[in-house]
Structure formats: C-alpha cells, structure tokens
Amino acid sequence: DTEVTQTPKHLVMGMTNKKSLKCEQHMGHRAMYWYKQKAKKPPELMFVYSYEKLSINESVPSRFSPECPNSSLLNLHLHALQPEDSALYLCASSRTGGGNYGYTFGSGTRLTVV
Amino acid sequence: TQLLEQSPQFLSIQEGENLTVYCNSSSVFSSLQWYRQEPGEGPVLLVTVVTGGEVKKLKRLTFQFGDARKDSSLHITAAQPGDTGLYLCAGGSDSWGKLQFGAGTQVVVTP
C-alpha cells in the first residue's frame, strides 16, 4: 500500500458546525503533515507530527485542532471556521521528518465553509 | 525563512516543444524535490535529488541539482498534453522538520 487516503473528498460546513477530516497511511511512515492549499498557490504547512507527537504548529488558529491517534492515522478537527478557511486540505506522510525524504500526499479534502 | 523562487510562474507551449523550469535559492538545501499537481488532486512526487551536481532522468524529464545545492532545474523534452500541471519544487534541510515549497510553475501543453 503506497497511498495516503483522505476522507471525505468534499465537505461543506456552516460556521457553527464541528467536523473532522481523516487521513490514513499504511506505509510505515513516521511523519505526517497537514497542509492547506488555496487555488493556484503552493501548499502551506499547518502541522507536523513526528512519531505521533506534534512537532510543528505553524501558528494555526485554534479552530483547527490536529490529532494523531496512532502511527497510521491523522485527524484534523474543525470548529467555528470562517469562509476564508475554504480551501483544499492535504495530508501527507514521509518516512521521517526533516524534508529529506519525499512526501506522499493524499488527494485532499475540498472544504467549503458557508 | 529560506525562500525558493520558481520561474517562470506560467508556461504555455505546444505539444512536442521543450521546456525548462527553474528553482533558485540563496540558501543551501540538503535535498530538493519536484512534484506535479493536477487540479483537485494532491501533489505527486517526481524526484528527490540530494547530491550537488546530481542529474536524474525520468523518461522525458531531466532534473538537475546545482553544484552548490542552492538551485535546481526541471527540463521536459517533447512535451505532451499529459505533462500539463502545476510543478512545485521543495527544499529540505537537516535542521528543519519541514519542506520549503516554491510558488509553483503552471505548465499548459496544448495539442
């Protein structure tokens, strides 16, 4: 299995809703990442988990809450989002952190906040 | 923050033509990666280069890492419509826990 699986593929949520994005990989990768990507822009890093511990938080607002239940799963809990949070949310994994190993990205969750 | 500059931002060519995308920085990277992303999908890793001066070939794609490990290029020979996409370079450092992405080059190959 050489894939990163993200669910759901599309999500529409109101500003008062609570939802979660899920990411799963079975490649034995020990680093997992959440990225946010706006149209025609590069991915922007949000969080890095290394060996199931949060190692980087790029000053992301607290309405985004990451969770890594085990080495294969990564969640992003969403609460009280704003319309400007609408974007493609990408999960990625790599053998270890540090950027020297290629990342495997999922197909993303297209999030629309109304 | 180390900055990776990609050029050009946009490239539109006819099928069969060649193209080159550049990725430059004033800082040294321990690795340089190239990704291609299609609309609505995540980026897909094309190659990782780690040695200064390294050249890697992937069918019609040739990747080069500069001798000083500050820059890289991607050359596509005889481009095909399937090469259309957003090409992203990304640099890694032993002292970071993350990749630094360039702004991307949108390539459009028309039949």
Side-chain angles (χ1 to χ4, degrees):
Chain A
D1 189 350
T2 58
E3 289 186 343
V4 172
T5 303
Q6 287 189 244
T7 55
K9 196 162 178 62
H10 300 276
L11 179 63
V12 179
M13 61 184 290
M15 289 188 284
T16 58
N17 291 159
K18 286 185 180 181
K19 296 286 184 183
S20 296
L21 309 184
K22 297 186 182 302
C23 174
E24 189 169 3
Q25 59 89 13
H26 296 287
M27 294 176 281
H29 287 177
R30 302 313 300 269
M32 296 185 76
Y33 312 83
W34 280 115
Y35 281 85
K36 173 183 177 180
Q37 187 177 28
K38 292 280 200 177
K40 302 189 187 304
K41 297 290 186 182
E44 297 175 29
L45 182 66
M46 300 175 72
F47 302 104
V48 179
Y49 273 84
S50 181
Y51 292 87
E52 295 107 73
K53 294 194 186 310
L54 182 65
S55 59
I56 294 178
N57 175 341
E58 293 284 270
S59 302
V60 178
S62 59
R63 58 185 184 269
F64 295 91
S65 176
E67 177 195 21
C68 188
N70 60 54
S71 61
S72 299
L73 293 174
L74 187 66
N75 299 322
L76 185 63
H77 303 298
L78 314 173
H79 173 56
L81 294 193
Q82 303 297 310
E84 58 265 29
D85 295 322
S86 299
L88 181 67
Y89 286 83
L90 294 163
C91 174
S93 70
S94 64
R95 191 181 302 179
T96 61
N100 287 334
Y101 293 99
Y103 286 14
T104 302
F105 282 87
S107 297
T109 294
R110 173 68 62 189
L111 174 68
T112 303
V113 182
V114 297
Chain B
T1 303
Q2 301 184 12
L3 185 63
L4 268 171
E5 294 185 0
Q6 270 189 252
S7 61
Q9 284 185 295
F10 182 80
L11 201 52
S12 179
I13 61 171
Q14 298 277 352
E15 181 176 4
E17 294 181 337
N18 301 332
L19 69 96
T20 302
V21 179
Y22 300 93
C23 182
N24 297 297
S25 175
S26 58
S27 301
V28 176
F29 292 95
S30 55
S31 77
L32 204 295
Q33 300 167 23
W34 285 93
Y35 294 81
R36 179 172 66 216
Q37 184 176 22
E38 298 186 19
E41 296 293 328
V44 175
L45 179 67
L46 298 174
V47 76
T48 301
V49 286
V50 297
T51 303
E54 183 175 3
V55 177
K56 281 192 175 179
K57 293 194 174 185
L58 185 67
K59 297 184 180 178
R60 295 176 293 99
L61 278 60
T62 301
F63 305 86
Q64 186 161 9
F65 201 14
D67 290 341
R69 294 187 291 147
K70 294 183 179 181
D71 55 85
S72 180
S73 63
L74 157 60
H75 183 79
I76 301 179
T77 304
Q80 298 177 0
D83 295 324
T84 293
L86 179 68
Y87 287 81
L88 296 156
C89 67
S93 169
D94 290 329
S95 60
W96 298 351
K98 61 184 182 181
L99 284 180
Q100 176 73 43
F101 277 91
T105 296
Q106 182 63 52
V107 171
V108 176
V109 183
T110 53

